[in-house]
Amino acid sequence: MSDPAPTPEPSAIAPLRRWGAWAVLAGAAALLLVIFQIAGPAFEPRPSAGTQIGEIAGEIRRSAWRSFFGLPRPEAAPAPVSPTAWLALAAPVLGLLAVVLSLISGLRGENRRYALYGAGLGATAIAFQYVWWLALLFVAAVLLHAIITNIGDIFGL
């Protein structure tokens, strides 16, 4: 009697040959990039909040006096680019890639869990970044409102 042919062992990289697995990886990477985008600027050196608000108020005051006296505007210096600025575009692109890969995985009839996980992670990354930017805009509007309501104190009137 002869020995039966040995069965090949499943490869450890077999899941990476599925569109759904790549969708999960892209969605997880997108979510990590969004979290890093939110936490990254906290590690950059910044002046205190009072100093920043004072600089904004002083710039408003100087601008108002220049326009009152008809003086020309000074040339604006280019703002320094943050090292995390590219994350504002990379994270939603990766999230969209995760959703597209999940769609491909679902259409090919692969494991639905991978497709759902990838689409969920990608959509969460996109939504989380959107909500974060809305919160930042709201805080900026509140700060601008506080400066404008106290404009009399800024001019010393």
Side-chain angles (χ1 to χ4, degrees), residues 39-52:
F43 299 114
E44 295 176 4
R46 303 238 174 190
S48 70
T51 304
Q52 287 179 342

Side-chain angles (χ1 to χ4, degrees), residues 2-126:
S2 66
D3 291 333
T7 57
E9 293 185 22
S11 175
I13 62 167
L16 294 180
R17 294 183 181 163
R18 305 274 187 248
W19 290 94
W22 287 105
V24 171
L25 289 175
L31 199 55
L32 286 175
L33 284 177
V34 169
I35 291 170
F36 183 71
Q37 177 186 359
I38 292 169
F43 299 114
E44 295 176 4
R46 303 238 174 190
S48 70
T51 304
Q52 287 179 342
I53 292 172
E55 288 176 3
I56 292 170
E59 183 60 33
I60 290 173
R61 181 179 182 176
R62 286 187 293 276
S63 176
W65 281 115
R66 274 194 302 272
S67 67
F68 179 72
F69 289 121
L71 299 174
R73 278 187 173 175
E75 253 185 62
V81 177
S82 170
T84 59
W86 61 272
L87 294 177
L89 183 62
V93 167
L94 260 179
L96 185 62
L97 177 69
V99 171
V100 169
L101 289 174
S102 295
L103 181 64
I104 293 171
S105 173
L107 291 175
R108 292 194 57 176
E110 294 178 0
N111 189 348
R112 285 185 174 255
R113 288 184 183 176
Y114 284 135
L116 291 175
Y117 293 157
L121 286 171
T124 301
I126 293 169

